Amino acid sequence: MGIEDFGGGQSDQADVLVVTTNEAHGYRVEKVIGEVFGLTVRSRHLGSQIGAGLKSMVGGELKGLTKTLVQTRNQAMERLVEQARARGANGVLMMRFDVTEAADVGTEVCAYGTAVVLVPG
């Protein structure tokens, strides 16, 4: 697996700017739309659980689980952007991830932030 399997984030051509800061440098907030979020729940794969259990006995990174979590976070962020776009936003400020166990059957990942309309300036 290459480094591209463990990354995330937006492309340079994204039409909705997502940042983890209170403001976006070079832009001003024209309108605050409100909270948006993207949510996904992934069930555990039996094969990866067995592999993770064996790997935990000897130590080391659980690369299969890491890759799955990256994919899950990226899906949550895509849904966040879709919701922001649908509400008329072109930016999301203070984006964060929240990861929790979902009823002991999977992992819930939520990307959330504040949807805004940004203008240059």
Side-chain angles (χ1 to χ4, degrees):
M1 287 186 275
I3 191 66
E4 64 278 356
D5 294 324
F6 299 102
Q10 294 185 286
S11 71
D12 292 340
Q13 288 78 32
D15 63 329
V16 176
L17 178 64
V18 179
V19 296
T20 59
T21 54
N22 289 329
E23 53 193 46
H25 183 71
Y27 296 90
R28 67 177 177 79
V29 175
E30 183 176 81
K31 179 181 178 183
V32 174
I33 294 173
E35 182 185 24
V36 289
F37 65 91
L39 180 68
T40 186
V41 178
R42 292 279 174 107
S43 65
R44 292 188 184 90
H45 182 273
L46 181 59
S48 66
Q49 280 186 299
I50 292 169
L54 294 173
K55 188 74 168 186
S56 68
M57 288 189 239
V58 296
E61 181 182 9
L62 306 173
K63 289 187 178 182
L65 291 176
T66 300
K67 185 177 177 181
T68 299
L69 184 56
V70 168
Q71 292 169 340
T72 304
R73 284 178 149 215
N74 288 344
Q75 183 178 48
M77 190 161 164
E78 287 169 10
R79 290 179 178 174
L80 166 88
V81 169
E82 287 172 12
Q83 188 183 65
R85 188 183 298 116
R87 294 183 62 194
N90 68 347
V92 177
L93 303 179
M94 294 296 297
M95 194 283 293
R96 299 287 187 264
F97 286 107
D98 185 45
V99 180
T100 58
E101 293 298 311
D104 203 35
V105 295
T107 302
E108 172 190 331
V109 176
C110 182
Y112 62 95
T114 302
V116 295
V117 174
L118 298 170
V119 294

